[in-house]
Amino acid sequence: MLADLPILSLITFSPLLGILVLLFLPKHRSRWLKVVAITATILPLLLSLWLYADYDGTKGGKGYEEQVTWINTSLNKEAVGDVSSYSFTFQYHMGIDGLSLPLLLLTTIVGVMAALASVHVKKRWKAFYIWFLLLEVGMIGVFLARDVFLFFVFFEMTLIPMFFLIGIWGYMNREKAANKFLLYNGIGSAIMLLAFVLLVSTAGFSVEQLPEKQQTNLSYSGSYEVISSNLTSPDSYVNMSSEQMQGQDNPLYLSERMRWVIFLLLLIAFGIKLPIFPFHTWMLQVHAEAPPSVVMIHSGVLLKMGAYGLLRFGVFMFPGVAKDWAVALAILGVVNILYGAILALVQKEFKLVLAYSSISHMGIVLLGIASFNEIGLNGALIQLISHGLISALLFLVVGSIYERTGSTELKDLGGLARSMPFMSGILLTAGMASLGLPGLSGFVGEFLSFLGLFDSMRVLTGIAVLGVILTAIYVLRSILGITFGTMPERFAAARDVRLIEAVPMITLLAFIVLIGVYPAVLTEPMKHGFDFLLQQLTEKAGR
């Protein structure tokens, strides 16, 4: 029965039901507000799990695709030759494949866990949960949209909720962090919009012949399929040379130089979100100042939107150009890994240790992408999922520690295993996953990313592996210092985790162990996710 429903739209917009209910609840009824918000995040998770179990990778998700015309405008003109009109078409087009499905599941899992972690919120619960659920709608929509304009709308939908969630419910410097978040991401969005306009104006161009009227309609579309088809078809207008374009109707064509320009714009736009050094400073303040449940969302999901956008619109659409950038991407990855690891090593505040750790781990994703083979690309995607789960768990624990101790400074913490043994055990296990201990999810993504790159760039791979050693040092230094050693007397009576904290901790840890022990749970659904990209690279190499 579910197969007959618009399952993708239900997953995307089901949190709006929670917002509708919240609007009618009194703002002082905190318990009811929390129950409604958490319930509103559970529904998309259940639907995503069902979709994940039912997904058939051999069909490329074609059984779950929704497409209707959303915006269609025509501009009639005085006939020049046989051209009668121009039209611009944007579609409400939702789809799923082996790349977006695991990220969709990650989003809904972290969404529920972060909603449970919002127990730490102390004020304005109603407004908090409304912004929270609106943020989840935007995140889910980003991974399902198949029209560049629709993707842009969902992408922008995540900015405003995050701005208020940081600026109102964050810590001491929350307003500065919120402003910096909006400034950097706003610049990235402007660059992305410019790249999309260039894509629609060139690769979105097609000609519709109307023989019965002896007219021709020149159409510009934002459809991902239309753009991808034009980019890969040797007979399309965008692949013609300037000489071949003489006398044609399209005033623009996608030269090799223009492909490089668009790819560079996309790399910068999504590199800000990822983030790639040196576009990372805004992220550090968000990790330090945002409330724990918001940082879980930010580190666990929002950073992954940058990598997803780079893969979906940069690498998949321009495989040849991306391949030419492989060495540069690998160098950027190595810089991220070592820069993040070295600075994490000298931090004295645990949240900043984790912030720089995220920068380092996103460098591993760049290495997997730069490999341009199935092993490395699968490793990059697994690393995205793994880091999303691990970072969400770590920041969940950090929030619980801060609530009990009032500090995340490493010098103020120590010996917490005596008063909080359960929480300390979770923290230690999450740290082991972060440093890549075999049997946990962090190992699988890192190993495959390094293995994929080793075949083509052995020197860079060897340098990047140094980051793994540094990761082990800063993770063990910080986490062992927190859990063992001398415990301040004021923490002796500190309470261990409550049930509402233990549930998300155990759930996230269970997924981390599952992926580490049985990675096929991820690799099977995404088995065919990179087939199209690898086929294009093979054809390019053969020419």
Side-chain angles (χ1 to χ4, degrees), residues 68-296:
V68 294
T69 299
W70 179 25
I71 302 174
N72 187 14
T73 61
S74 297
L75 176 64
N76 294 322
K77 57 187 286 292
E78 294 182 5
V80 177
D82 58 354
V83 178
S84 59
S85 64
Y86 295 103
S87 67
F88 296 84
T89 303
F90 297 100
Q91 296 178 325
Y92 175 80
H93 187 185
M94 308 286 274
I96 198 79
D97 59 15
L99 174 60
S100 55
L101 181 58
L103 291 166
L104 168 65
L105 188 59
L106 171 69
T107 302
T108 54
I109 291 172
V110 174
V112 175
M113 302 306 115
L116 291 170
S118 62
V119 65
H120 299 295
V121 175
K122 303 300 182 184
K123 64 179 181 180
R124 299 178 65 176
W125 302 288
K126 184 173 182 177
F128 177 88
Y129 288 120
I130 288 175
W131 287 120
F132 184 93
L133 294 175
L134 189 61
L135 173 63
E136 185 173 23
V137 172
M139 293 187 301
I140 294 174
V142 162
F143 296 123
L144 297 181
R146 289 295 180 273
D147 183 280
V148 295
F149 185 70
L150 184 62
F151 175 89
F152 182 80
V153 169
F154 280 123
F155 197 93
E156 295 305 291
M157 190 183 293
T158 65
L159 299 187
I160 301 303
M162 273 297 295
F163 173 78
F164 285 111
L165 289 171
I166 298 169
I168 297 176
W169 290 275
Y171 296 115
M172 184 176 298
N173 296 315
R174 56 186 180 271
E175 293 182 4
K176 183 178 180 180
N179 289 332
K180 200 164 187 178
F181 165 83
L182 194 61
L183 174 63
Y184 271 77
N185 285 269
I187 293 173
S189 295
I191 296 173
M192 178 176 64
L193 180 60
L194 174 60
F196 284 170
V197 168
L198 291 174
L199 271 176
V200 172
S201 301
T202 54
F205 175 84
S206 60
V207 178
E208 181 184 5
Q209 300 290 345
L210 303 174
E212 66 279 3
K213 298 182 180 181
Q214 295 184 347
Q215 294 176 342
T216 301
N217 177 54
L218 306 184
S219 175
Y220 294 87
S221 172
S223 169
Y224 179 83
E225 276 71 17
V226 170
I227 293 173
S228 298
S229 176
N230 283 339
L231 285 169
T232 56
S233 172
D235 299 325
S236 66
Y237 282 87
V238 296
N239 289 303
M240 291 183 179
S241 66
S242 56
E243 291 78 12
Q244 292 174 312
M245 284 301 301
Q246 297 299 321
Q248 302 294 338
D249 297 310
N250 188 9
L252 300 173
Y253 72 99
L254 205 57
S255 65
E256 190 66 23
R257 182 175 299 178
M258 181 63 76
R259 291 172 189 261
W260 275 61
V261 169
I262 295 177
F263 179 82
L264 181 59
L265 290 173
L266 292 171
L267 178 60
I268 295 173
F270 293 118
I272 293 174
K273 195 73 172 180
L274 191 58
I276 297 175
F277 176 87
F279 308 121
H280 65 286
T281 55
W282 66 271
M283 187 269 282
L284 301 174
Q285 292 194 6
V286 171
H287 277 52
E289 301 298 334
S293 56
V294 175
V295 183
M296 289 174 65

Side-chain angles (χ1 to χ4, degrees), residues 358-377:
S358 292
I359 295 173
S360 182
H361 282 86
M362 289 302 97
I364 298 175
V365 174
L366 288 175
L367 295 187
I369 295 174
S371 70
F372 288 99
N373 57 51
E374 188 170 6
I375 294 175
L377 290 168

